Amino acid sequence: MDSPAVPVPLDPQEQPILERLLRTRDSLLLLKQDKSSYIKSRDVLPLYEEVIAEVEKLNAVRKEQDERVARNRLDYVLDDCFQLISLLFLTIGKNNEAPAVYSLTTTVQRLLDHLEEAGFYGAKDLSSVTKTLQNMYSTLDRGRNTYSPALLTFLESRMRHCQTSLDKLQKGLTGLSPELLSTHETLISILRSTSAANTRSKFSTSEVKALQEQLKKIASTMKDGKFVSADGTLLAGQEGVKMLMERCQAWTEIVLERQGKIDERFRDQYERLVEIRNQLDRLSVTQAWSLRETDLFGYQRKLDRIDEARSNGNFVDAEGHLADIHAQRTLLYLIRRSYGYIYALLISSEPVSEALLPVYNQLQTLRRCLVEVKESGGVSNSRELYPYSMKLNSIDNMRVDGKFYVGTDIPEGQGSVNALLAECYDFVWELRAAVVDDDDNDDDENS
């Protein structure tokens, strides 16, 4: 479970904290793995309190030490505990509570570190992270009077690290001329599309050659090997764009030469990463119906182990030899793509307990159907709305005193589900009113 292999705590005062956290982590893992019933707030909160109690003890121990302690096994176990707590908070619908933020902070930092390492990224890559960080800060502010200062300080420290990385990346785009932004984004898309084609189960030569044609079109817009404006002025930031274009050209040639075949020394890592990527891809398609946020923990840890096993950023084989450029870029692409899927799944998690998700998902589907009916011109008569009304009434009748119960529990997310139910009712009433108005107009014309 630990990633990577790390030393045990040297300070004897930390050893009992580690032992207690190991027991708590075991309890969290058992709770995560139990699919026989819905996870409830009363299952999660006591374990959260246990973790916070140990954090406060650890802070007191380390406050007495003069120098910063190197990360040891205790830090990794604590990270596991917070990661599981965070995902459990998402599972029970407490998305807007401070502990839920932790998993996002670790994933965002991974993404930003990889963007910096890659050296090429676009404004679109950073805009989502910027918004996510703003939302996380808002969540922390709301929890000032509710959650332990130890937790809030810990989260703020991690978020400041993310913000520093983000600011550095944003600064790297400031010298780019607005006229080159679309070209820059297109080149990034070509680079990633080439990597995607390189990892498909069946390699498509035509797909990569089509990407090369796009590169030729971009090159044809240059004058004497330079990007210039309409009045002939050299565009700012073009050196970086030209380097990116050269990288795209070199990468497409390497990919065409290798035809999607990875160096056999790295076949095992490649197959593990492809499987993780494919599983996360499937989850992203069926998320609303099949995702339990705690399931992401296993994917995160597998990726972390592979990512952190690199030597100075490089993949090495069993004998310590470095990977060639094709294997290196292919494996990094798969890791980054997988972290990207995890990030997308986390930010799209609904603030609704898994106990209420079946009802919430039905209402989401019903809402989409009603929106499509409205946009396609509505209904010809009120009888066409009968199936929608019946379904809404059946869901509405599940409520007791305006609340959805699961057994004797009142799961989190009542407000979201009730708001969605009310929105669906509004759509039905609007569509019915439009039919009545049409009927009245027809009667007036006949008269």
Side-chain angles (χ1 to χ4, degrees), residues 232-261:
T233 307
L234 291 179
L235 296 175
Q238 66 174 285
E239 290 306 317
V241 177
K242 285 161 66 176
M243 286 175 59
L244 179 54
M245 190 162 73
E246 290 168 5
R247 180 170 175 175
C248 288
Q249 290 167 337
W251 183 227
T252 55
E253 289 169 6
I254 292 171
V255 167
L256 281 174
E257 180 185 343
R258 298 298 290 266
Q259 295 284 299
K261 295 176 183 176

Side-chain angles (χ1 to χ4, degrees), residues 287-302:
Q287 173 193 7
W289 303 97
S290 61
L291 177 66
R292 191 188 222 188
E293 283 83 356
T294 50
D295 294 339
L296 295 176
F297 179 77
Y299 296 113
Q300 287 173 324
R301 282 298 170 258
K302 288 176 185 176

Side-chain angles (χ1 to χ4, degrees), residues 175-381:
L176 190 62
S177 167
E179 296 172 78
L180 277 180
L181 282 175
S182 61
T183 302
H184 187 253
E185 292 286 353
T186 300
L187 288 170
I188 290 170
S189 176
I190 290 172
L191 191 64
R192 291 172 181 170
S193 296
T194 305
S195 296
N198 179 51
T199 57
R200 298 203 202 290
S201 55
K202 290 185 179 180
F203 183 79
S204 171
T205 300
S206 60
E207 183 179 358
V208 180
K209 285 187 174 180
L211 293 169
Q212 286 185 325
E213 288 301 315
Q214 287 189 47
L215 290 172
K216 289 177 182 177
K217 287 181 181 178
I218 293 173
S220 68
T221 64
M222 302 171 71
K223 292 183 179 179
D224 299 325
K226 296 180 175 61
F227 292 100
V228 296
S229 63
D231 61 4
T233 307
L234 291 179
L235 296 175
Q238 66 174 285
E239 290 306 317
V241 177
K242 285 161 66 176
M243 286 175 59
L244 179 54
M245 190 162 73
E246 290 168 5
R247 180 170 175 175
C248 288
Q249 290 167 337
W251 183 227
T252 55
E253 289 169 6
I254 292 171
V255 167
L256 281 174
E257 180 185 343
R258 298 298 290 266
Q259 295 284 299
K261 295 176 183 176
I262 194 81
D263 186 330
E264 284 301 319
R265 295 176 300 153
F266 300 93
R267 169 65 56 180
D268 289 343
Q269 287 169 299
Y270 174 77
E271 289 180 349
R272 286 203 303 274
L273 285 170
V274 166
E275 181 60 22
I276 292 170
R277 191 270 312 268
N278 291 346
Q279 288 175 353
L280 289 168
D281 184 29
R282 287 192 290 270
L283 267 181
S284 69
V285 174
T286 61
Q287 173 193 7
W289 303 97
S290 61
L291 177 66
R292 191 188 222 188
E293 283 83 356
T294 50
D295 294 339
L296 295 176
F297 179 77
Y299 296 113
Q300 287 173 324
R301 282 298 170 258
K302 288 176 185 176
L303 288 170
D304 292 348
R305 280 198 291 271
I306 296 171
D307 197 15
E308 293 172 9
R310 292 190 287 153
S311 175
N312 295 322
N314 298 304
F315 289 95
V316 294
D317 63 14
E319 297 177 357
H321 299 133
L322 298 180
D324 62 21
I325 189 170
H326 178 262
Q328 175 78 6
R329 287 190 181 176
T330 300
L331 296 175
L332 280 176
Y333 166 77
L334 289 169
I335 287 178
R336 291 163 183 165
R337 187 74 179 120
S338 297
Y339 277 128
Y341 275 126
I342 290 173
Y343 170 76
L345 289 166
L346 287 173
I347 63 172
S348 58
S349 174
E350 299 287 355
V352 176
S353 166
E354 64 171 346
L356 280 183
L357 271 180
V359 174
Y360 187 78
N361 290 334
Q362 289 178 54
L363 286 170
Q364 287 274 51
T365 303
L366 191 58
R367 182 188 178 281
R368 282 195 293 270
C369 291
L370 289 167
V371 168
E372 288 178 9
V373 169
K374 183 178 179 180
E375 290 178 348
S376 62
V379 294
S380 56
N381 59 70

